[in-house]
Each structure stands twice: as structure tokens, then as C-alpha cells.
Amino acid sequence: MQILRSLYNWTMELAKNPKAIWLLGCVSFIEAIFFPIPPDVLLIPMILANISKAWLYALVATIASVAGGVLGYLLGFIAYEQIAEPLLIALGKEAAMSLFANSINQNGFVIVLTAGVSPIPFKVVSIMSGFTKMQLSLFILSALLGRAIRFFIVATLLKYYGEKIKFFLEKYLGWLFLLFIILIVIGTIGLDYL
């Protein structure tokens, strides 16, 4: 429990650093291509540390994530077999690759929008959108809309309820961490049955 509390305190201190906005942009960018950790891990503490900048942080995360998604798209479009496919296989995303490859051209806008909002791996969708030659402008529009919805909802909720959420997090940190681990285990087991 002490390690978890130390990690929480370290993250909150990092979030207060004026250069954290650059780190948020970097994490948001690379997460859309290959990085396994979502930007929310940094976005949430940054907003809790400085609630007045909630929407600025959401904007940075949105723009950087879509820019990374465009690079992922280009990787899928130009170098799928050489770079993108081995990268996705190394990340263990084979099932998601085949699922999206078969349906992206029929439902591309909805799939990219859904991936932008949900925990569906955005990197897989961005790369597969390029591989399947989805129209780039449609990809950018749906990615921008999806990522903006996701990050601005988080920012808005934290802007208005941030102090209560911060108090709740600090009070029940251990229990929330345990719940998070249980959800990861259930999600991992569930993915095996899809």
C-alpha cells in the first residue's frame, strides 16, 4: 500500500511540472502508434493537479493523439508488412487486426470513432485504417471526433467534480487499485474468448 501511495504522490508531483504538458502530448502521440499505456494515465492527474487547465490538457491530448493516429495510418498504408504488421503482432493484437481488417471499409467512420472513445486499441485501428486504404480525410474526421469526445468528457467531469474525485481517490486508493487489477484480469480472460 505504501508503494502505491508513493506512486500516486509521484504522479501528482509530475503532473504539476510545467513541462508535463509536453509529456502528455508525447504520450498521446506515441500511444496512437505503439505505446501500450493510454494518455489518460497522465491526463487525469494533470487535470487533478491543475483543474483550471482541464480543457487545454484535453485539447493537447486530442491533437497529439490524432497526429499519432495519422502516422499510424501512414505506417499501415505505406509499410504494413515491413513495420506495422510485426509491430501489432509483437503487441499481441492479431485478433483485433483480423476483426478490423474485415470491417473497416464498410464501417470505418463508426469503428474509428468508437476506438477513439473507448478502450479499443486506437493504434490497431489507425494502422488497419491505412492498410485497408480507408479515406484519410474520413479517418482524420472520425479520429478527431472520437478522441475529442473521450478526452473532453474526462476533462469536463474532472473540471466540475475534480476535488471530490481527488478526495475519493486518495481515500480509497488501495481498493480502487485492487478493483483495477480485477478488471484487467477479467478483461484479459474475456479477450481470450472473443
Side-chain angles (χ1 to χ4, degrees):
M1 186 64 181
Q2 185 59 34
I3 293 172
L4 188 58
R5 178 69 56 193
S6 297
L7 181 61
Y8 173 81
N9 292 337
W10 177 79
T11 306
M12 291 303 286
E13 285 303 313
L14 175 67
K16 291 177 186 176
N17 188 318
K19 294 180 182 177
I21 196 165
W22 294 101
L23 181 59
L24 174 64
C26 183
V27 167
S28 300
F29 181 83
I30 62 174
E31 183 268 341
I33 308 163
F34 66 88
F35 198 58
I37 300 171
D40 310 70
V41 171
L42 191 56
L43 177 66
I44 292 169
M46 284 179 65
I47 293 171
L48 290 175
N50 193 347
I51 290 175
S52 66
K53 292 187 176 182
W55 291 326
L56 171 64
Y57 296 150
L59 180 65
V60 168
T62 300
I63 291 170
S65 183
V66 172
V70 169
L71 182 57
Y73 176 98
L74 293 173
L75 279 173
F77 189 85
I78 296 168
Y80 181 76
E81 291 177 2
Q82 300 83 0
I83 300 172
E85 185 178 33
L87 176 66
L88 291 175
I89 290 171
L91 291 170
K93 303 297 182 191
E94 296 95 336
M97 289 164 58
S98 63
L99 173 70
F100 293 121
N102 295 330
S103 60
I104 248 179
N105 282 333
Q106 293 124 2
N107 305 308
F109 184 84
V110 173
I111 290 172
V112 175
L113 178 68
T114 303
V117 175
S118 72
I120 293 172
F122 189 63
K123 62 191 87 18
V124 174
V125 173
S126 63
I127 290 170
M128 296 309 291
S129 295
F131 172 67
T132 60
K133 314 281 190 275
M134 179 182 179
Q135 187 179 351
L136 180 59
S137 59
L138 187 62
F139 170 78
I140 292 171
L141 177 65
S142 56
L144 189 60
L145 187 59
R147 291 316 240 183
I149 289 169
R150 176 177 173 166
F151 297 135
F152 276 91
I153 284 175
V154 168
T156 301
L157 288 172
L158 291 173
K159 185 169 182 65
Y160 293 109
Y161 303 105
E163 288 303 322
K164 291 177 185 173
I165 291 170
K166 185 177 179 182
F167 174 76
F168 182 80
L169 279 173
E170 290 174 355
K171 184 173 181 180
Y172 298 107
L173 188 62
W175 288 106
L176 291 170
F177 182 73
L178 180 62
L179 177 63
F180 178 71
I181 296 299
I182 291 169
L183 290 174
I184 287 176
V185 169
I186 291 170
T188 303
I189 293 169
L191 285 176
D192 291 339
Y193 291 103
L194 290 178

